[in-house]
RNA sequence: GGUCCCGUAGCUCAGCUGGAUAGAGCAUCUGCCUUCUAAGCAGACGGUCACUGGUUCGAAUCCAGUCGGGAUCACCA
């Protein structure tokens, strides 16, 4: 089946036969021939002149001759400046089309028997989701879909940071200021409701802090701790955290709440459960809107004590060491990292300790070979350390760990900052893009005959395609600048552009059903147009693209591929008629081609978490 | 300061396991809807691929250095 492999093998064979050189077939790279030259794939012969002392053009000509005579699928060749351009027989393309036009699963690889866990999103429970989470969610979902398509069994999980001082702030503010209000009673989406109390806490805290700064106590603090030449204003800006921990009434109340939570106070636990439940309900709505889901939720309140036994075990094996004050460390300086603490001198764990514990727990629970953490790049170092430690501990899954690191999402004005109110809320963003899509659709009027709910479904599909594609087309590790106006664009290099290619094909296929057409006639189609060959060449690449995207954990490769394919199709659609083609053979051939393209587009977009409408 | 990531058109991004004349979209300008959905197509404009050096027949791509931008280096999570 794999024609490129056959060409590679034949090339190696030719080199062996003509020049007595053994070159592994996989070392022979064939690249798609540039459009301005005649041919489908190009072999660059320059690398061979090391072993074969001949002019590149001569080698290319001899190889071309050999291939044309020995390999039936090579119809012709030409040589341009050391580049051997190979023309494949038309039959190869026809056979490829016959093979794939009826295969909705084309591109997906068979199960490989391996299990991979993908952890993504992993929010805190004191605030609603924002744009940064959206990038995380889309990457995580898409990466997991791509891994599935590459043959893995995938377990999607998130770990929720449901404990700590942050949620206590929301709880305390609710207790103090809400008068028993609930999301239902005030009609606010429940995660936003909780987030509002977090904001409320911060507001009251700032007021309290500002008032305190006028007090004699503050004067004394300033005089005692002030650094040379530091202004009073700057001093209190830097002093905020210390104020919260040592002087603040609200701060001590929040800390007290955390203590009571840790002590298992039933009242506090009940409130905590209530607040978190509100947040989860809100998150679920957002996940549903985005079309993502999880197989398992982990909660830090359950896992934050894990890993202590591993530290103990590592200590005994000499992987960790104990300082005189009792704290436990690892020294990673020999691999260019630092010393890192794993247990405080008081015996309590630090954050990374629980990561050790959860990693092992997950392995034991699921028997996974690989684990992908979708986490922003500010934690690159953390994961370097974590993975190195797990390797040293000899964990069996240690070589299958991967940090899918992605760059921060910034606005044209810079980083999002809650203090400046520039956080882009996930729900607001989705609502906005849906509004734009709706306005656009109404203007076009193409959906007017459909029932209202179907219209809304399609509008939602278009809107989310725009948003998702806009985010996911950027390589994960790159920082991205999110321009709100561009994220709602529906034309150009966008999700809807690709949907439109699909919709056009569906429309043609519907029309084709109405007329009598002999699909078998495609076999008689000869002299394919360049664009048709180019489209087939793209389709042929699809399985490899999936494999590569999985190996590199990079959904943007799929996005780029889908856009490219759609672009070629739009051009083809414009330049040639399908249903009014010159012959029955051409009609059938193009119809099959269009169908194959629509399947591949649909699969590719599915891997990005984007749905395809039948009309738009 | 150490480590890691980024720097490509006015803007947002592809291309990076070395191959032919560096590509898209947006923006600006110009054409194309009695013909399968114009959310489309075609054209024009737009480049010192940050800089310098090296390796190579060949470098946006690999190596070294420089300059810019970001992240990180907590007994925080």
């Amino acid at each position: 089946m794999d024609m490129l492999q056959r060409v590679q093998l034949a090339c190696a064979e030719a080199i062996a036969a003509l020049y007595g050189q053994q070159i592994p077939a996989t070392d022979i790279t064939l690249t798609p021939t540039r459009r301005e030259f005649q041919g489908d794939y190009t072999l660059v012969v320059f690398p061979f002149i090391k072993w074969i002392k001949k002019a590149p053009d001569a080698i290319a000509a001899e190889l071309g001759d050999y291939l044309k005579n020995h390999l039936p699928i090579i119809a012709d060749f030409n040589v341009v400046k050391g580049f051997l351009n190979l023309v494949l027989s038309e039959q190869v393309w026809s056979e490829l089309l016959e093979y794939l036009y009826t295969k909705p699963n084309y591109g997906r690889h068979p199960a490989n028997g391996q299990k991979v866990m993908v952890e993504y999103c992993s929010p805190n429970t004191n605030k609603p989701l924002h744009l940064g989470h959206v990038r995380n969610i889309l990457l995580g979902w898409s990466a997991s879909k791509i891994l599935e398509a590459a043959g893995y069994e995938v377990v999607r999980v998130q770990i929720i940071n449901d404990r700590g001082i942050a949620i206590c702030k929301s709880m305390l503010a609710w207790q103090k200021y809400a008068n028993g209000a609930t999301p239902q009673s005030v009609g606010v989406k429940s995660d936003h409701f909780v987030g509002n109390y977090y904001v409320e806490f911060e507001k009251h805290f700032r007021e309290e802090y500002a008032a305190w700064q006028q007090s004699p106590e503050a004067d004394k603090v300033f005089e005692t701790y002030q650094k040379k030449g530091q202004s009073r204003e700057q001093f209190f800006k830097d002093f905020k955290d210390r104020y919260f921990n040592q002087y603040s009434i609200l701060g001590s109340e929040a800390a007290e709440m955390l203590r009571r939570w840790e002590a298992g106070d039933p009242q506090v636990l009940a409130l905590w459960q209530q607040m978190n439940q509100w947040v989860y309900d809100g998150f679920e709505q957002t996940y549903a809107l985005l079309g993502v889901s999880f197989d398992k939720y982990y909660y830090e309140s359950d896992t934050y004590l894990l890993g202590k036994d591993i530290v103990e075990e590592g200590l005994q094996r000499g992987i960790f060491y104990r300082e005189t004050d009792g704290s436990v460390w690892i020294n990673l300086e020999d691999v260019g990292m630092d010393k890192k603490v794993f247990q405080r001198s008081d015996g309590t764990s630090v954050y990374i300790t629980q990561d050790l514990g959860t990693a092992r727990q997950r392995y034991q629970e699921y028997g996974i070979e690989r684990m992908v953490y979708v986490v922003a790049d500010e934690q690159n170092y953390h994961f370097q350390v974590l993975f190195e430690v797990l390797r040293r501990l000899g964990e069996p899954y240690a070589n299958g760990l991967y940090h899918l690191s992605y760059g921060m999402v910034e606005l044209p004005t810079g980083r999002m900052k809650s203090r400046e109110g520039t956080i882009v809320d996930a729900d607001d963003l989705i609502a906005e893009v849906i509004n734009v899509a709706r306005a656009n659709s109404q203007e076009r009027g193409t959906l007017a005959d459909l029932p209202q709910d179907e219209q809304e479904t399609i509008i939602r599909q278009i809107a989310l395609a725009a948003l998702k594609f806009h985010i996911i087309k950027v390589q994960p590790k790159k920082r991205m600048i999110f321009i709100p106006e561009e994220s709602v664009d529906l034309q150009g290099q966008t999700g809807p552009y690709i949907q439109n290619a699909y919709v056009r094909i569906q429309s043609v296929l519907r029309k084709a059903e109405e007329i009598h057409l002999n699909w078998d006639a495609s076999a008689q189609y000869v002299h394919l147009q360049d664009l048709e060959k180019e489209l087939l060449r793209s389709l042929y690449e699809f399985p490899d693209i999936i494999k590569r995207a999985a190996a590199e954990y990079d959904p943007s490769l799929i996005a780029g591929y889908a856009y490219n394919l759609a672009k070629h199709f739009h051009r083809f659609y414009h330049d040639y008629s399908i249903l009014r083609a010159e012959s029955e053979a051409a009609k059938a051939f193009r119809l099959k081609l269009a169908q194959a393209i629509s399947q591949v587009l649909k699969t590719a977009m599915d891997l990005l978490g984007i749905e395809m409408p039948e009309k738009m």
Side-chain angles (χ1 to χ4, degrees):
Chain A
M1 178 55 229
D2 196 330
M3 62 198 193
L4 266 193
Q5 253 172 27
R6 280 163 68 190
V7 178
Q8 274 181 326
L9 280 170
C11 285
E13 196 186 291
I15 291 164
L18 293 170
Y19 311 110
Q21 287 290 336
Q22 298 300 325
I23 293 173
T26 47
D27 283 6
I28 292 169
T29 50
L30 293 160
T31 54
T33 303
R34 294 177 67 104
R35 193 170 303 149
E36 55 269 38
F37 301 103
Q38 184 64 233
D40 300 305
Y41 290 94
T42 296
L43 176 68
V44 185
V45 302
F46 281 103
F48 305 145
I49 59 181
K50 267 178 257 170
W51 305 293
I52 307 162
K53 294 200 189 78
K54 274 194 176 179
D57 280 5
I59 300 173
E62 287 169 2
L63 282 177
D65 243 357
Y66 183 97
L67 289 172
K68 191 176 171 184
N69 290 327
H70 289 77
L71 196 62
I73 61 172
I74 302 290
D76 206 353
F77 73 94
N78 63 80
V79 176
V80 182
K81 292 191 296 182
F83 294 88
L84 172 58
N85 300 321
L86 300 168
V87 181
L88 299 192
S89 72
E90 302 209 325
Q91 206 189 343
V92 171
W93 297 119
S94 305
E95 280 171 10
L96 176 67
L97 181 57
E98 287 303 322
Y99 169 77
L100 58 78
Y101 90 98
T102 52
K103 298 209 165 32
N105 278 326
Y106 174 72
R108 298 183 192 269
H109 298 263
N112 64 12
Q114 288 197 58
K115 253 190 212 175
V116 55
M117 179 175 283
V118 181
E119 176 195 292
Y120 65 100
C121 190
S122 302
N124 294 344
T125 57
N126 59 318
K127 281 184 276 191
L129 304 171
H130 58 70
L131 179 53
H133 292 112
V134 174
R135 189 175 196 194
N136 185 308
I137 289 167
L138 297 181
L139 279 173
W141 178 257
S142 178
S144 71
K145 295 285 284 186
I146 290 166
L147 286 165
E148 259 172 5
Y152 289 91
E153 186 183 334
V154 175
V155 185
R156 299 176 177 87
V157 307
Q158 62 171 319
I159 182 155
I160 300 165
N161 182 10
D162 60 341
R163 60 178 286 275
I165 195 74
I167 182 66
C168 287
K169 290 179 182 176
S170 295
M171 286 156 62
L172 188 67
W174 184 83
Q175 219 170 38
K176 287 173 106 71
Y177 315 120
N179 288 320
T182 64
Q184 296 76 27
S185 74
V186 291
V188 174
K189 185 165 175 280
S190 57
D191 51 339
H192 290 256
F193 177 84
V194 173
N196 290 344
Y197 284 100
Y198 185 80
V199 172
E200 191 73 8
F201 178 93
E202 290 295 332
K203 200 181 99 195
H204 282 88
F205 172 71
R206 269 199 310 276
E207 283 166 12
E208 185 201 275
Y209 189 36
W212 179 80
Q213 285 172 39
Q214 309 303 317
S215 71
E217 191 184 25
D219 293 339
K220 220 165 83 188
V221 163
F222 177 60
E223 270 153 41
T224 317
Y225 299 113
Q226 150 194 49
K227 286 183 207 130
K228 258 184 293 183
Q230 195 177 28
S231 73
R232 196 179 163 100
E233 194 190 359
Q234 185 60 46
F235 173 81
F236 281 117
K237 218 174 149 189
D238 296 346
F239 194 71
K240 194 175 165 199
D241 281 354
R242 234 172 117 185
Y243 171 76
F244 180 86
N245 290 323
Q246 290 181 16
Y247 300 88
S248 166
I249 299 163
L250 282 171
S252 69
E253 285 178 316
E256 173 60 18
M257 190 161 271
L258 184 57
R259 268 192 296 278
R260 285 169 64 191
W261 180 87
E262 281 175 353
D265 182 316
Q267 261 188 314
V268 171
L269 283 181
L271 175 58
W272 172 73
Q273 263 158 5
Q274 176 64 81
M275 298 290 283
N276 276 342
Q277 195 54 52
W278 281 333
V279 172
Y280 301 148
D281 292 345
F283 285 175
E284 283 308 318
Q285 290 175 38
T286 309
Y287 298 149
L289 262 178
L290 288 172
V292 303
S293 62
F294 300 86
D295 299 311
K296 165 111 183 174
Y297 297 76
Y298 291 95
Y299 300 92
E300 286 195 4
S301 55
D302 293 329
T303 63
Y304 76 109
L305 295 175
L306 289 177
K308 287 188 149 188
D309 50 335
I310 300 179
V311 172
E312 193 53 44
E313 173 195 321
L315 201 50
Q316 273 164 28
R317 289 167 53 196
I319 295 165
F320 297 106
Y321 65 92
R322 198 184 286 281
E323 276 292 347
T324 46
D325 65 0
S327 55
V328 177
W329 296 73
I330 194 164
N331 187 341
L332 302 174
E333 283 167 341
D334 56 321
V335 287
M337 292 184 252
D338 303 292
K339 291 175 176 147
K340 185 84 190 168
V341 70
F342 272 75
Q343 198 176 95
R344 299 190 186 98
S345 47
D346 64 6
T348 56
S349 305
V350 291
Y351 182 75
I352 199 168
T353 317
Q354 76 163 315
D355 276 351
L356 294 181
T358 53
R360 185 180 282 184
Q361 190 195 45
R362 291 170 182 187
Y363 172 71
Q364 287 166 349
E365 248 176 81
Y366 288 97
I368 44 178
E369 281 91 356
R370 285 163 180 260
M371 181 134 52
V372 180
Y373 298 84
V374 184
V375 180
D377 65 3
E378 56 191 353
Q379 297 207 44
N380 283 356
Y381 182 65
H382 170 82
F383 282 103
Q384 268 181 44
V385 171
L386 178 66
F387 295 169
E388 175 65 20
V389 171
L390 288 167
R391 266 194 297 275
R392 290 189 185 198
L393 286 163
E395 297 294 294
Y397 49 85
N399 289 321
L401 297 166
Y402 186 78
H403 175 203
L404 204 179
S405 165
Y406 62 91
M408 291 286 168
V409 184
E410 290 182 14
L411 301 174
T413 49
R415 280 186 81 156
M416 297 189 287
K417 293 198 181 101
S418 52
R419 255 176 296 136
E420 291 164 23
T422 53
I423 302 276
V424 176
D425 178 78
D427 297 311
D428 292 350
L429 184 61
I430 295 166
E432 171 62 16
V433 65
I434 290 175
N435 282 336
V436 171
R438 185 181 297 113
N440 223 285
S441 175
Q442 279 165 359
E443 204 175 301
R444 291 170 204 277
T446 45
L447 301 178
D449 334 331
L450 295 176
Q452 199 66 31
D453 58 332
E454 273 182 50
Q455 286 187 34
E456 276 302 308
T457 301
I458 291 172
I459 285 163
R460 209 199 69 239
Q461 287 172 333
I462 294 168
L464 282 161
L467 178 61
K468 291 178 176 183
F469 192 84
H470 184 253
I471 290 174
I472 223 154
K473 72 179 180 189
V474 180
Q475 225 177 71
K477 75 173 175 182
K478 290 209 182 182
R479 204 150 43 100
M480 73 173 286
I481 304 201
F482 184 87
I483 300 173
E485 307 84 71
E486 288 186 7
S487 72
V488 300
D489 271 353
L490 308 172
Q491 280 145 40
Q493 195 176 37
T494 66
Y497 174 94
I498 300 167
Q499 288 178 321
N500 186 230
Y502 177 84
V503 163
R504 282 177 143 184
I505 295 171
Q506 298 318 302
S507 177
V508 171
L509 289 173
R510 280 193 298 270
K511 289 234 159 63
E513 273 177 25
E514 294 164 14
I515 59 173
H516 175 74
L517 193 100
N518 176 17
W519 285 61
D520 294 332
S522 65
Q524 273 80 59
Y525 186 57
V526 287
H527 307 311
L528 312 204
Q529 302 295 330
D530 284 349
L531 262 176
E532 289 166 336
K533 282 191 194 177
E534 215 168 307
L535 282 163
L536 282 162
R537 200 168 63 187
S538 282
L539 295 175
Y540 172 74
E541 280 176 9
F542 189 44
D544 271 346
I545 297 282
I546 290 180
K547 210 189 283 179
R548 218 183 117 200
E552 296 178 24
Y553 303 92
D554 187 353
S556 73
L557 292 173
I558 303 286
Y561 171 81
Y563 172 71
N564 228 347
L565 181 57
K567 188 173 171 54
H568 283 130
F569 174 75
H570 277 306
R571 202 204 323 254
F572 171 72
Y573 181 88
H574 178 268
D575 290 355
Y576 301 92
S577 183
I578 298 169
L579 295 178
R580 273 183 295 277
E582 60 278 10
S583 66
E584 286 303 297
K587 285 179 197 172
F589 183 90
R590 288 180 185 166
L591 214 44
K592 285 179 177 177
L593 178 60
Q595 174 156 323
I597 292 166
S598 83
Q599 279 163 4
V600 167
L601 285 177
K602 189 171 189 176
T603 301
M605 292 294 260
D606 178 59
L607 299 182
L608 304 180
I610 297 174
E611 294 174 51
M612 290 295 216
E614 300 299 307
K615 294 178 179 173
M616 67 192 285

